[in-house]
Amino acid sequence: MRESHIITIAGAGSARVPALVGTLVNYKERFPLSKIIFYDIDNERMGLMEDYDRLVLKCFYPECEVVFTTDEDEAYRETDFVFCQMRVGKTVMRSLDEKIPLRYGLVGQETCGPGGFAYGMRSLGAMKHMVEKVRSYSKDTWILNYTNPAAIVALGLDKMFPEDGRILNLCDQPFSLMKSYAKILGVPQEKLRARYFGLNHFGWFTELKDTDGNDHFDTLRTYLRDHDFQPFNAEQRSKSWLDTYVRVNKYMKFIDEYIPTTYLQYYMFPEEIAAESDPAYTRADESRDSREKEVFEVCAKAKGRDTMEGLEMLTNSVFGNLMVEVAESIAYDLNREFIVLVRNDGIIGNFEPDAIVEVAGTIGKDGAKGYPFGDISPYYKGLMEGQYAYELLTVEAFLEQDYTKALKALILNRSVVDPSKAKAVLDDLMEANRDYWTLK
């Protein structure tokens, strides 16, 4: 029997949590828990799912102690892993992140472009506070960070806590893409091995083989160039999520050397995407009216029940599977392969050593280690240098409260470029976020 652990779910008001609970139940032999602490500053929202979460754990994990709290000291005082997925400002601010840029014909997206900038500035402040609070109790607790936008948050945390070896930043998009590739190819996901490089939401697959030595890259590249790309669970996805995938083949009709991450479309076709967007109804609204609504409706049915009979079990979460498999790989030093976010330090030989790059690698008791990639060619280096400069200036703008650096960051972002639009959208975002961050 493996040693059991205590985890804290920070941001337990997320609609993703019930499916994460289902994953924890499914993995309880692989990653056993003695206690789960659900923590959120919004007790009302967390309460919408509390009856369901408690019922699932009572029925399928009775040996695990369950705590719900809004007290951060109780949440972080004694825990082995923090599963962090904060959304600072909640859906209200996400909606503004998406809608304000669309006023200026700019991409309205929560992790890319001006919306990602605003969200990143909010997230950095909350994450700094959380890490300091956790470390006031323990230097050994693992912080598995899922808070977006991962590129900005990961870089900011590395700048603020450069010697902290137990903060691991995660993104489920490469994990989800590998699952989608496996379905297209008819190969089990656990047998696929990728070679990949880039920044978070800004990278490329360059190889895809299986553990039997078969090379699937050309087959997949040809398929994605000539067909619309759909995720493995397309029937469960809302339209806006499906739209995230549709331009992969369009990009590859221009350049099909490597397979791009789906988010690259926001930087390659920003005007087209902005023109197609509805400034009055964005992904924040769609998520509230679809996925969140469905989850809350299922959870409401748990009130007053003693059994799960007739009640849907929420599970099969890519997010949950990744989070738990990463924690398992750390806890038992499994050194399993993932696509990881790590400080470059020569992994990509001709790229900035302090950048947080996204590459194939392993995760074990010492954290994430990226596989050496080598040098990259001028096209990819140029794209990544511009994007990294945007990320770095955003972090510096937050740390120094520097308006000029924030403006430079947005001008550098491929989805903006125009200085007049950059200034206009920055000023509007500053006003909307005055309770979260300031610039001078």
Side-chain angles (χ1 to χ4, degrees), residues 174-203:
F175 192 76
S176 180
L177 288 174
M178 290 286 283
K179 198 171 184 69
S180 300
Y181 298 159
K183 184 175 181 179
I184 291 169
L185 295 167
V187 177
Q189 182 187 4
E190 60 270 17
K191 296 189 72 172
L192 288 176
R193 298 291 182 269
R195 192 165 184 258
Y196 178 96
F197 77 97
L199 305 166
N200 180 245
H201 285 185
F202 202 92

PDB file of all heavy atoms in Angstrom, residues 174-203:
ATOM      1  N   PRO A 174      -1.425  20.409 -23.818  1.00  0.00           N
ATOM      2  CA  PRO A 174      -0.628  19.373 -24.483  1.00  0.00           C
ATOM      3  C   PRO A 174      -1.094  17.964 -24.130  1.00  0.00           C
ATOM      4  O   PRO A 174      -1.100  17.065 -24.973  1.00  0.00           O
ATOM      5  CB  PRO A 174       0.797  19.640 -23.970  1.00  0.00           C
ATOM      6  CG  PRO A 174       0.803  21.080 -23.614  1.00  0.00           C
ATOM      7  CD  PRO A 174      -0.563  21.347 -23.055  1.00  0.00           C
ATOM      8  N   PHE A 175      -1.483  17.760 -22.870  1.00  0.00           N
ATOM      9  CA  PHE A 175      -1.998  16.472 -22.416  1.00  0.00           C
ATOM     10  C   PHE A 175      -3.262  16.105 -23.191  1.00  0.00           C
ATOM     11  O   PHE A 175      -3.434  14.972 -23.656  1.00  0.00           O
ATOM     12  CB  PHE A 175      -2.287  16.579 -20.919  1.00  0.00           C
ATOM     13  CG  PHE A 175      -2.567  15.280 -20.214  1.00  0.00           C
ATOM     14  CD1 PHE A 175      -1.536  14.410 -19.903  1.00  0.00           C
ATOM     15  CD2 PHE A 175      -3.851  14.945 -19.814  1.00  0.00           C
ATOM     16  CE1 PHE A 175      -1.778  13.222 -19.218  1.00  0.00           C
ATOM     17  CE2 PHE A 175      -4.110  13.766 -19.136  1.00  0.00           C
ATOM     18  CZ  PHE A 175      -3.065  12.900 -18.834  1.00  0.00           C
ATOM     19  N   SER A 176      -4.149  17.087 -23.350  1.00  0.00           N
ATOM     20  CA  SER A 176      -5.387  16.879 -24.105  1.00  0.00           C
ATOM     21  C   SER A 176      -5.107  16.631 -25.582  1.00  0.00           C
ATOM     22  O   SER A 176      -5.744  15.794 -26.225  1.00  0.00           O
ATOM     23  CB  SER A 176      -6.308  18.095 -23.941  1.00  0.00           C
ATOM     24  OG  SER A 176      -7.508  17.927 -24.664  1.00  0.00           O
ATOM     25  N   LEU A 177      -4.133  17.377 -26.143  1.00  0.00           N
ATOM     26  CA  LEU A 177      -3.776  17.179 -27.552  1.00  0.00           C
ATOM     27  C   LEU A 177      -3.246  15.772 -27.787  1.00  0.00           C
ATOM     28  O   LEU A 177      -3.589  15.128 -28.790  1.00  0.00           O
ATOM     29  CB  LEU A 177      -2.737  18.217 -27.977  1.00  0.00           C
ATOM     30  CG  LEU A 177      -3.238  19.653 -28.120  1.00  0.00           C
ATOM     31  CD1 LEU A 177      -2.081  20.604 -28.395  1.00  0.00           C
ATOM     32  CD2 LEU A 177      -4.284  19.763 -29.224  1.00  0.00           C
ATOM     33  N   MET A 178      -2.429  15.275 -26.876  1.00  0.00           N
ATOM     34  CA  MET A 178      -1.912  13.916 -27.018  1.00  0.00           C
ATOM     35  C   MET A 178      -3.049  12.893 -27.002  1.00  0.00           C
ATOM     36  O   MET A 178      -3.029  11.902 -27.737  1.00  0.00           O
ATOM     37  CB  MET A 178      -0.915  13.620 -25.901  1.00  0.00           C
ATOM     38  CG  MET A 178       0.388  14.384 -26.011  1.00  0.00           C
ATOM     39  SD  MET A 178       1.463  13.745 -27.324  1.00  0.00           S
ATOM     40  CE  MET A 178       2.127  12.282 -26.526  1.00  0.00           C
ATOM     41  N   LYS A 179      -4.052  13.145 -26.183  1.00  0.00           N
ATOM     42  CA  LYS A 179      -5.216  12.261 -26.130  1.00  0.00           C
ATOM     43  C   LYS A 179      -5.977  12.321 -27.461  1.00  0.00           C
ATOM     44  O   LYS A 179      -6.451  11.291 -27.968  1.00  0.00           O
ATOM     45  CB  LYS A 179      -6.115  12.675 -24.971  1.00  0.00           C
ATOM     46  CG  LYS A 179      -7.105  11.612 -24.526  1.00  0.00           C
ATOM     47  CD  LYS A 179      -7.796  12.033 -23.246  1.00  0.00           C
ATOM     48  CE  LYS A 179      -8.723  10.959 -22.717  1.00  0.00           C
ATOM     49  NZ  LYS A 179      -8.011   9.775 -22.222  1.00  0.00           N
ATOM     50  N   SER A 180      -6.071  13.506 -28.035  1.00  0.00           N
ATOM     51  CA  SER A 180      -6.744  13.662 -29.330  1.00  0.00           C
ATOM     52  C   SER A 180      -5.952  13.002 -30.451  1.00  0.00           C
ATOM     53  O   SER A 180      -6.522  12.362 -31.342  1.00  0.00           O
ATOM     54  CB  SER A 180      -6.948  15.151 -29.630  1.00  0.00           C
ATOM     55  OG  SER A 180      -7.749  15.759 -28.639  1.00  0.00           O
ATOM     56  N   TYR A 181      -4.643  13.155 -30.420  1.00  0.00           N
ATOM     57  CA  TYR A 181      -3.798  12.500 -31.432  1.00  0.00           C
ATOM     58  C   TYR A 181      -3.939  10.981 -31.349  1.00  0.00           C
ATOM     59  O   TYR A 181      -3.995  10.290 -32.374  1.00  0.00           O
ATOM     60  CB  TYR A 181      -2.333  12.876 -31.231  1.00  0.00           C
ATOM     61  CG  TYR A 181      -2.004  14.342 -31.372  1.00  0.00           C
ATOM     62  CD1 TYR A 181      -0.844  14.872 -30.813  1.00  0.00           C
ATOM     63  CD2 TYR A 181      -2.844  15.218 -32.065  1.00  0.00           C
ATOM     64  CE1 TYR A 181      -0.520  16.214 -30.938  1.00  0.00           C
ATOM     65  CE2 TYR A 181      -2.529  16.564 -32.188  1.00  0.00           C
ATOM     66  CZ  TYR A 181      -1.374  17.058 -31.619  1.00  0.00           C
ATOM     67  OH  TYR A 181      -1.058  18.387 -31.743  1.00  0.00           O
ATOM     68  N   ALA A 182      -3.983  10.466 -30.123  1.00  0.00           N
ATOM     69  CA  ALA A 182      -4.118   9.019 -29.942  1.00  0.00           C
ATOM     70  C   ALA A 182      -5.398   8.506 -30.581  1.00  0.00           C
ATOM     71  O   ALA A 182      -5.412   7.441 -31.219  1.00  0.00           O
ATOM     72  CB  ALA A 182      -4.088   8.680 -28.448  1.00  0.00           C
ATOM     73  N   LYS A 183      -6.482   9.272 -30.433  1.00  0.00           N
ATOM     74  CA  LYS A 183      -7.760   8.865 -31.021  1.00  0.00           C
ATOM     75  C   LYS A 183      -7.692   8.881 -32.540  1.00  0.00           C
ATOM     76  O   LYS A 183      -8.166   7.955 -33.210  1.00  0.00           O
ATOM     77  CB  LYS A 183      -8.881   9.791 -30.531  1.00  0.00           C
ATOM     78  CG  LYS A 183     -10.258   9.381 -31.029  1.00  0.00           C
ATOM     79  CD  LYS A 183     -11.354  10.253 -30.424  1.00  0.00           C
ATOM     80  CE  LYS A 183     -12.734   9.812 -30.912  1.00  0.00           C
ATOM     81  NZ  LYS A 183     -13.802  10.653 -30.305  1.00  0.00           N
ATOM     82  N   ILE A 184      -7.084   9.908 -33.120  1.00  0.00           N
ATOM     83  CA  ILE A 184      -6.947   9.997 -34.576  1.00  0.00           C
ATOM     84  C   ILE A 184      -6.125   8.832 -35.110  1.00  0.00           C
ATOM     85  O   ILE A 184      -6.472   8.213 -36.131  1.00  0.00           O
ATOM     86  CB  ILE A 184      -6.298  11.345 -34.970  1.00  0.00           C
ATOM     87  CG1 ILE A 184      -7.260  12.509 -34.697  1.00  0.00           C
ATOM     88  CG2 ILE A 184      -5.880  11.345 -36.447  1.00  0.00           C
ATOM     89  CD1 ILE A 184      -6.613  13.879 -34.800  1.00  0.00           C
ATOM     90  N   LEU A 185      -5.051   8.517 -34.415  1.00  0.00           N
ATOM     91  CA  LEU A 185      -4.117   7.490 -34.889  1.00  0.00           C
ATOM     92  C   LEU A 185      -4.533   6.074 -34.522  1.00  0.00           C
ATOM     93  O   LEU A 185      -4.017   5.098 -35.089  1.00  0.00           O
ATOM     94  CB  LEU A 185      -2.725   7.763 -34.300  1.00  0.00           C
ATOM     95  CG  LEU A 185      -2.043   9.050 -34.759  1.00  0.00           C
ATOM     96  CD1 LEU A 185      -0.844   9.354 -33.867  1.00  0.00           C
ATOM     97  CD2 LEU A 185      -1.614   8.965 -36.220  1.00  0.00           C
ATOM     98  N   GLY A 186      -5.465   5.944 -33.566  1.00  0.00           N
ATOM     99  CA  GLY A 186      -5.841   4.617 -33.100  1.00  0.00           C
ATOM    100  C   GLY A 186      -4.755   3.956 -32.283  1.00  0.00           C
ATOM    101  O   GLY A 186      -4.605   2.732 -32.288  1.00  0.00           O
ATOM    102  N   VAL A 187      -3.994   4.772 -31.549  1.00  0.00           N
ATOM    103  CA  VAL A 187      -2.892   4.280 -30.713  1.00  0.00           C
ATOM    104  C   VAL A 187      -3.184   4.677 -29.266  1.00  0.00           C
ATOM    105  O   VAL A 187      -3.564   5.816 -29.011  1.00  0.00           O
ATOM    106  CB  VAL A 187      -1.542   4.886 -31.160  1.00  0.00           C
ATOM    107  CG1 VAL A 187      -0.417   4.422 -30.250  1.00  0.00           C
ATOM    108  CG2 VAL A 187      -1.253   4.538 -32.610  1.00  0.00           C
ATOM    109  N   PRO A 188      -3.022   3.786 -28.289  1.00  0.00           N
ATOM    110  CA  PRO A 188      -3.255   4.168 -26.890  1.00  0.00           C
ATOM    111  C   PRO A 188      -2.378   5.349 -26.483  1.00  0.00           C
ATOM    112  O   PRO A 188      -1.181   5.378 -26.783  1.00  0.00           O
ATOM    113  CB  PRO A 188      -2.876   2.901 -26.112  1.00  0.00           C
ATOM    114  CG  PRO A 188      -3.020   1.783 -27.090  1.00  0.00           C
ATOM    115  CD  PRO A 188      -2.637   2.360 -28.424  1.00  0.00           C
ATOM    116  N   GLN A 189      -2.976   6.314 -25.790  1.00  0.00           N
ATOM    117  CA  GLN A 189      -2.233   7.511 -25.414  1.00  0.00           C
ATOM    118  C   GLN A 189      -0.989   7.185 -24.589  1.00  0.00           C
ATOM    119  O   GLN A 189       0.064   7.809 -24.758  1.00  0.00           O
ATOM    120  CB  GLN A 189      -3.124   8.472 -24.623  1.00  0.00           C
ATOM    121  CG  GLN A 189      -2.413   9.778 -24.240  1.00  0.00           C
ATOM    122  CD  GLN A 189      -3.235  10.654 -23.321  1.00  0.00           C
ATOM    123  OE1 GLN A 189      -4.314  10.269 -22.901  1.00  0.00           O
ATOM    124  NE2 GLN A 189      -2.736  11.831 -23.004  1.00  0.00           N
ATOM    125  N   GLU A 190      -1.102   6.191 -23.701  1.00  0.00           N
ATOM    126  CA  GLU A 190       0.023   5.878 -22.824  1.00  0.00           C
ATOM    127  C   GLU A 190       1.227   5.342 -23.584  1.00  0.00           C
ATOM    128  O   GLU A 190       2.345   5.308 -23.051  1.00  0.00           O
ATOM    129  CB  GLU A 190      -0.401   4.879 -21.746  1.00  0.00           C
ATOM    130  CG  GLU A 190      -0.906   3.555 -22.263  1.00  0.00           C
ATOM    131  CD  GLU A 190      -2.404   3.529 -22.508  1.00  0.00           C
ATOM    132  OE1 GLU A 190      -3.014   4.628 -22.586  1.00  0.00           O
ATOM    133  OE2 GLU A 190      -2.958   2.425 -22.619  1.00  0.00           O
ATOM    134  N   LYS A 191       1.039   4.974 -24.856  1.00  0.00           N
ATOM    135  CA  LYS A 191       2.162   4.466 -25.649  1.00  0.00           C
ATOM    136  C   LYS A 191       2.833   5.556 -26.493  1.00  0.00           C
ATOM    137  O   LYS A 191       3.895   5.341 -27.057  1.00  0.00           O
ATOM    138  CB  LYS A 191       1.691   3.343 -26.576  1.00  0.00           C
ATOM    139  CG  LYS A 191       1.173   2.114 -25.849  1.00  0.00           C
ATOM    140  CD  LYS A 191       0.918   0.956 -26.783  1.00  0.00           C
ATOM    141  CE  LYS A 191       2.221   0.363 -27.285  1.00  0.00           C
ATOM    142  NZ  LYS A 191       2.022  -0.897 -28.043  1.00  0.00           N
ATOM    143  N   LEU A 192       2.196   6.739 -26.576  1.00  0.00           N
ATOM    144  CA  LEU A 192       2.737   7.803 -27.425  1.00  0.00           C
ATOM    145  C   LEU A 192       3.793   8.619 -26.683  1.00  0.00           C
ATOM    146  O   LEU A 192       3.640   8.918 -25.494  1.00  0.00           O
ATOM    147  CB  LEU A 192       1.624   8.728 -27.903  1.00  0.00           C
ATOM    148  CG  LEU A 192       0.668   8.171 -28.964  1.00  0.00           C
ATOM    149  CD1 LEU A 192      -0.430   9.186 -29.263  1.00  0.00           C
ATOM    150  CD2 LEU A 192       1.420   7.810 -30.246  1.00  0.00           C
ATOM    151  N   ARG A 193       4.840   8.989 -27.407  1.00  0.00           N
ATOM    152  CA  ARG A 193       5.906   9.834 -26.879  1.00  0.00           C
ATOM    153  C   ARG A 193       6.147  10.974 -27.866  1.00  0.00           C
ATOM    154  O   ARG A 193       6.330  10.736 -29.059  1.00  0.00           O
ATOM    155  CB  ARG A 193       7.204   9.041 -26.686  1.00  0.00           C
ATOM    156  CG  ARG A 193       7.081   7.889 -25.686  1.00  0.00           C
ATOM    157  CD  ARG A 193       6.902   8.401 -24.270  1.00  0.00           C
ATOM    158  NE  ARG A 193       6.839   7.309 -23.294  1.00  0.00           N
ATOM    159  CZ  ARG A 193       5.715   6.717 -22.911  1.00  0.00           C
ATOM    160  NH1 ARG A 193       4.550   7.108 -23.432  1.00  0.00           N
ATOM    161  NH2 ARG A 193       5.734   5.740 -22.010  1.00  0.00           N
ATOM    162  N   ALA A 194       6.159  12.202 -27.349  1.00  0.00           N
ATOM    163  CA  ALA A 194       6.281  13.378 -28.216  1.00  0.00           C
ATOM    164  C   ALA A 194       7.607  14.088 -28.009  1.00  0.00           C
ATOM    165  O   ALA A 194       8.225  14.019 -26.941  1.00  0.00           O
ATOM    166  CB  ALA A 194       5.136  14.352 -27.932  1.00  0.00           C
ATOM    167  N   ARG A 195       8.019  14.780 -29.046  1.00  0.00           N
ATOM    168  CA  ARG A 195       9.079  15.785 -28.940  1.00  0.00           C
ATOM    169  C   ARG A 195       8.394  17.119 -29.232  1.00  0.00           C
ATOM    170  O   ARG A 195       7.654  17.248 -30.218  1.00  0.00           O
ATOM    171  CB  ARG A 195      10.194  15.503 -29.947  1.00  0.00           C
ATOM    172  CG  ARG A 195      11.471  16.319 -29.712  1.00  0.00           C
ATOM    173  CD  ARG A 195      12.639  15.741 -30.503  1.00  0.00           C
ATOM    174  NE  ARG A 195      13.898  16.430 -30.226  1.00  0.00           N
ATOM    175  CZ  ARG A 195      14.452  17.342 -31.035  1.00  0.00           C
ATOM    176  NH1 ARG A 195      13.862  17.658 -32.187  1.00  0.00           N
ATOM    177  NH2 ARG A 195      15.596  17.924 -30.709  1.00  0.00           N
ATOM    178  N   TYR A 196       8.640  18.091 -28.385  1.00  0.00           N
ATOM    179  CA  TYR A 196       7.843  19.320 -28.401  1.00  0.00           C
ATOM    180  C   TYR A 196       8.703  20.457 -27.874  1.00  0.00           C
ATOM    181  O   TYR A 196       9.548  20.257 -26.996  1.00  0.00           O
ATOM    182  CB  TYR A 196       6.615  19.117 -27.505  1.00  0.00           C
ATOM    183  CG  TYR A 196       5.693  20.313 -27.360  1.00  0.00           C
ATOM    184  CD1 TYR A 196       4.568  20.441 -28.159  1.00  0.00           C
ATOM    185  CD2 TYR A 196       5.937  21.294 -26.397  1.00  0.00           C
ATOM    186  CE1 TYR A 196       3.709  21.520 -28.005  1.00  0.00           C
ATOM    187  CE2 TYR A 196       5.098  22.378 -26.248  1.00  0.00           C
ATOM    188  CZ  TYR A 196       3.974  22.485 -27.049  1.00  0.00           C
ATOM    189  OH  TYR A 196       3.127  23.567 -26.908  1.00  0.00           O
ATOM    190  N   PHE A 197       8.470  21.673 -28.394  1.00  0.00           N
ATOM    191  CA  PHE A 197       9.163  22.846 -27.855  1.00  0.00           C
ATOM    192  C   PHE A 197       8.280  24.070 -27.992  1.00  0.00           C
ATOM    193  O   PHE A 197       7.382  24.129 -28.841  1.00  0.00           O
ATOM    194  CB  PHE A 197      10.490  23.090 -28.593  1.00  0.00           C
ATOM    195  CG  PHE A 197      10.317  23.722 -29.956  1.00  0.00           C
ATOM    196  CD1 PHE A 197      10.448  25.093 -30.126  1.00  0.00           C
ATOM    197  CD2 PHE A 197      10.004  22.942 -31.070  1.00  0.00           C
ATOM    198  CE1 PHE A 197      10.281  25.687 -31.373  1.00  0.00           C
ATOM    199  CE2 PHE A 197       9.843  23.516 -32.322  1.00  0.00           C
ATOM    200  CZ  PHE A 197       9.982  24.893 -32.474  1.00  0.00           C
ATOM    201  N   GLY A 198       8.545  25.062 -27.160  1.00  0.00           N
ATOM    202  CA  GLY A 198       7.823  26.327 -27.267  1.00  0.00           C
ATOM    203  C   GLY A 198       7.674  26.989 -25.916  1.00  0.00           C
ATOM    204  O   GLY A 198       8.399  26.694 -24.953  1.00  0.00           O
ATOM    205  N   LEU A 199       6.738  27.918 -25.858  1.00  0.00           N
ATOM    206  CA  LEU A 199       6.277  28.545 -24.629  1.00  0.00           C
ATOM    207  C   LEU A 199       4.845  28.064 -24.415  1.00  0.00           C
ATOM    208  O   LEU A 199       4.226  27.526 -25.331  1.00  0.00           O
ATOM    209  CB  LEU A 199       6.325  30.068 -24.751  1.00  0.00           C
ATOM    210  CG  LEU A 199       7.687  30.655 -25.149  1.00  0.00           C
ATOM    211  CD1 LEU A 199       7.531  32.116 -25.579  1.00  0.00           C
ATOM    212  CD2 LEU A 199       8.676  30.547 -24.002  1.00  0.00           C
ATOM    213  N   ASN A 200       4.314  28.247 -23.222  1.00  0.00           N
ATOM    214  CA  ASN A 200       2.951  27.764 -22.992  1.00  0.00           C
ATOM    215  C   ASN A 200       1.958  28.443 -23.932  1.00  0.00           C
ATOM    216  O   ASN A 200       1.967  29.662 -24.098  1.00  0.00           O
ATOM    217  CB  ASN A 200       2.541  28.009 -21.544  1.00  0.00           C
ATOM    218  CG  ASN A 200       1.137  27.522 -21.264  1.00  0.00           C
ATOM    219  OD1 ASN A 200       0.248  28.321 -20.973  1.00  0.00           O
ATOM    220  ND2 ASN A 200       0.915  26.230 -21.367  1.00  0.00           N
ATOM    221  N   HIS A 201       1.084  27.661 -24.548  1.00  0.00           N
ATOM    222  CA  HIS A 201       0.111  28.121 -25.542  1.00  0.00           C
ATOM    223  C   HIS A 201       0.798  28.728 -26.765  1.00  0.00           C
ATOM    224  O   HIS A 201       0.208  29.526 -27.488  1.00  0.00           O
ATOM    225  CB  HIS A 201      -0.868  29.133 -24.943  1.00  0.00           C
ATOM    226  CG  HIS A 201      -1.894  28.495 -24.053  1.00  0.00           C
ATOM    227  ND1 HIS A 201      -2.944  29.200 -23.489  1.00  0.00           N
ATOM    228  CD2 HIS A 201      -2.049  27.223 -23.625  1.00  0.00           C
ATOM    229  CE1 HIS A 201      -3.680  28.386 -22.760  1.00  0.00           C
ATOM    230  NE2 HIS A 201      -3.150  27.169 -22.827  1.00  0.00           N
ATOM    231  N   PHE A 202       2.057  28.310 -27.000  1.00  0.00           N
ATOM    232  CA  PHE A 202       2.819  28.911 -28.095  1.00  0.00           C
ATOM    233  C   PHE A 202       3.935  27.934 -28.470  1.00  0.00           C
ATOM    234  O   PHE A 202       5.123  28.239 -28.318  1.00  0.00           O
ATOM    235  CB  PHE A 202       3.414  30.247 -27.622  1.00  0.00           C
ATOM    236  CG  PHE A 202       3.761  31.207 -28.723  1.00  0.00           C
ATOM    237  CD1 PHE A 202       2.853  32.154 -29.161  1.00  0.00           C
ATOM    238  CD2 PHE A 202       5.016  31.182 -29.325  1.00  0.00           C
ATOM    239  CE1 PHE A 202       3.188  33.066 -30.159  1.00  0.00           C
ATOM    240  CE2 PHE A 202       5.356  32.072 -30.326  1.00  0.00           C
ATOM    241  CZ  PHE A 202       4.431  33.023 -30.742  1.00  0.00           C
ATOM    242  N   GLY A 203       3.548  26.727 -28.930  1.00  0.00           N
ATOM    243  CA  GLY A 203       4.569  25.720 -29.189  1.00  0.00           C
ATOM    244  C   GLY A 203       4.195  24.763 -30.304  1.00  0.00           C
ATOM    245  O   GLY A 203       3.118  24.858 -30.904  1.00  0.00           O
TER     246      GLY A 203
END
